[in-house]
Amino acid sequence: MYKADRMYQEMMALDQQIKALQPDGDETVTEYFRLYTLLIYNYAWLGSLYDIYDPDAVILLGNGRQLHGAAEMVQNTTQLLAAFPDLHLTLADIFVTPRDNGYQLYRRFYLDGTNLGFSPYGAPTGKPLEGRKALCQSMSTLERKPDGWKITREFTMYPEEWLQQVCAP
């Protein structure tokens, strides 16, 4: 079997699992966002960001940048995946805790990949992210909207200094 065929089958299996979920409690909401996180980062299924981020979401990044809405999150994630086309995300921890009108979602994950594409720091270097050195975490506020659970606010920390060292010539 070709790699592309295997990846397609894996993506379709994740998509079917997501569609089969009825996220209505702690465990199912956690699983819903776990599957979406893997689909987006490990298979570059960027359109799924529109499924989980509210159009008016506020995303605060560790470097002080602020993104507004799903469209800017797509742009930011596209830039990361362009710099690391072989990116692989490994979830170390993910859980939700109930809050007034929804949940708080916590994700801790590692990024593996090689800088094979252009980044904000310049031309590809061929250097690897080395997983454990690329620790990321995010805390998100989830609210139920008419079209499902959405991230309305998020604090995300990428390993900015390490990304710069890997991507800078």
Side-chain angles (χ1 to χ4, degrees):
M1 175 182 294
Y2 293 107
K3 182 178 180 178
D5 294 331
R6 180 184 48 78
M7 287 184 70
Y8 178 78
Q9 289 176 352
E10 291 170 1
M11 287 187 306
M12 291 297 104
L14 280 173
D15 188 49
Q16 287 175 353
Q17 289 175 37
I18 291 167
K19 288 177 180 167
L21 274 176
Q22 296 297 321
D24 56 5
D26 297 8
E27 290 180 20
T28 53
V29 170
T30 300
E31 181 65 1
Y32 181 75
F33 282 92
R34 183 188 76 79
L35 293 172
Y36 261 123
T37 301
L38 296 174
L39 188 63
I40 291 162
Y41 286 92
N42 291 350
Y43 298 96
W45 201 321
L46 296 172
S48 291
L49 289 163
Y50 291 103
D51 295 336
I52 63 171
Y53 283 89
D54 189 73
D56 298 318
V58 175
I59 301 108
L60 304 168
L61 302 177
N63 63 5
R65 262 183 75 213
Q66 189 172 21
L67 306 176
H68 299 279
E72 287 187 15
M73 189 61 178
V74 168
Q75 183 179 21
N76 188 67
T77 306
T78 300
Q79 193 175 52
L80 177 66
L81 292 171
F84 298 93
D86 62 344
L87 188 82
H88 181 79
L89 179 142
T90 302
L91 276 164
D93 213 359
I94 182 170
F95 60 88
V96 298
T97 55
R99 50 171 282 149
D100 303 339
N101 57 345
Y103 292 98
Q104 283 297 127
L105 169 69
Y106 174 78
R107 292 178 285 187
R108 183 171 52 96
F109 51 94
Y110 298 99
L111 299 175
D112 277 302
T114 309
N115 181 219
L116 301 173
F118 281 85
S119 75
Y121 306 107
T125 63
K127 295 178 188 174
L129 281 172
E130 299 181 43
R132 292 277 183 195
K133 292 183 180 179
L135 169 67
C136 308
Q137 50 191 347
S138 69
M139 293 181 293
S140 309
T141 300
L142 307 177
E143 294 180 20
R144 186 179 282 288
K145 300 287 184 166
D147 56 343
W149 287 103
K150 299 288 185 179
I151 295 171
T152 57
R153 187 167 181 81
E154 181 171 274
F155 299 96
T156 296
M157 295 194 61
Y158 291 108
E160 294 295 333
E161 288 181 23
W162 180 240
L163 285 169
Q164 186 174 0
Q165 286 180 30
V166 170
C167 294

